[in-house]
Amino acid sequence: MEETHYEVLNVSENATSEQIKFRFQNLILRHHPDKRGSVPQDDDQAQRILRAWDVLRTPQSRKEYDAELAARQRRQGAVINSEIDLDDMAYNEDKLTFSMRCRCSGTYAITEDDLEQGIDVVCCDNCSLRIRVLYDVVEGDDE
Ligand SMILES: [Zn+2]
C-alpha cells in the first residue's frame, strides 16, 4: 500500500499542525541536498515530503485528505492490528465501558451499546491503530 502523507512525515494522524510543521522542516533539511536551490525532481523522497506538506499544511486540504484516507481505509477494510478477547479488557461499571491500553499509551474503549449494535472494531483514541474485540453474542435472556 502506498504511504500516506502522515507516514511520509512520520507523524500521527492526530498530530497538531505545529508537530507536522516541525517534522516537515526537519525532514526536508535532511533531504535537501542544496539548501539554496530547489529540490531536484529525481529526489523521490524529497518530492514525497513536499507533497505531504503541501496537503497537510492547511486545515482545509488536510480535512479533505483525511476524508479521502478514511474512504480508502473503508474500501480496503480497516487494518486491524490485533484481536482482543473481551474478557481481557477492563470493565468500567460506571461507564458501562470495556477498555484497554494501546501500546502508544492511548486507550481503546468500547461501550456495551456498541457491542449490542454489533460494533467490534475499536480505534485507539491517540493513534491510528485498531483492534477487533472478540465476544460471544448473547441471544436473548430467558430469565
Ligand atoms: Zn494507540
Side-chain angles (χ1 to χ4, degrees):
M1 181 180 144
E2 188 191 334
E3 270 187 313
T4 70
H5 291 327
Y6 293 102
E7 283 163 352
V8 169
L9 295 182
N10 196 20
V11 291
S12 145
E13 288 176 25
N14 303 313
T16 66
S17 45
E18 280 75 27
Q19 287 169 327
I20 291 173
K21 187 176 180 186
F22 184 75
R23 275 319 284 187
F24 165 72
Q25 287 171 337
N26 262 311
L27 284 172
I28 203 66
L29 275 179
R30 240 184 285 157
H31 286 276
H32 215 305
D34 177 0
K35 305 264 189 305
R36 292 158 304 152
S38 58
V39 176
Q41 287 297 322
D42 60 349
D43 189 334
D44 281 352
Q45 188 58 23
Q47 291 299 327
R48 273 196 291 269
I49 292 166
L50 283 172
R51 225 178 311 140
W53 170 240
D54 205 43
V55 170
L56 299 183
R57 63 189 300 184
T58 69
Q60 182 56 34
S61 61
R62 183 180 174 185
K63 216 171 94 190
E64 285 166 14
Y65 180 66
D66 283 346
E68 187 190 311
L69 263 192
R72 200 201 289 174
Q73 280 170 350
R74 271 198 301 278
R75 275 198 303 277
Q76 291 173 338
V79 181
I80 308 297
N81 296 87
S82 58
E83 298 191 327
I84 303 294
D85 205 294
L86 190 60
D87 293 339
D88 293 336
M89 299 180 77
Y91 183 63
N92 181 313
E93 276 182 40
D94 295 334
K95 296 181 184 163
L96 304 177
T97 299
F98 295 88
S99 65
M100 175 173 168
R101 270 254 178 281
C102 175
R103 64 174 184 230
C104 76
S105 86
T107 306
Y108 299 106
I110 190 164
T111 65
E112 288 192 339
D113 279 350
D114 291 337
L115 295 171
E116 275 164 23
Q117 289 168 36
I119 294 169
D120 61 355
V121 174
V122 192
C123 294
C124 173
D125 64 0
N126 185 52
C127 72
S128 59
L129 295 181
R130 290 173 178 78
I131 58 170
R132 186 186 299 284
V133 178
L134 304 174
Y135 60 97
D136 297 322
V137 179
V138 181
E139 306 243 0
D141 199 335
D142 289 338
E143 273 185 287

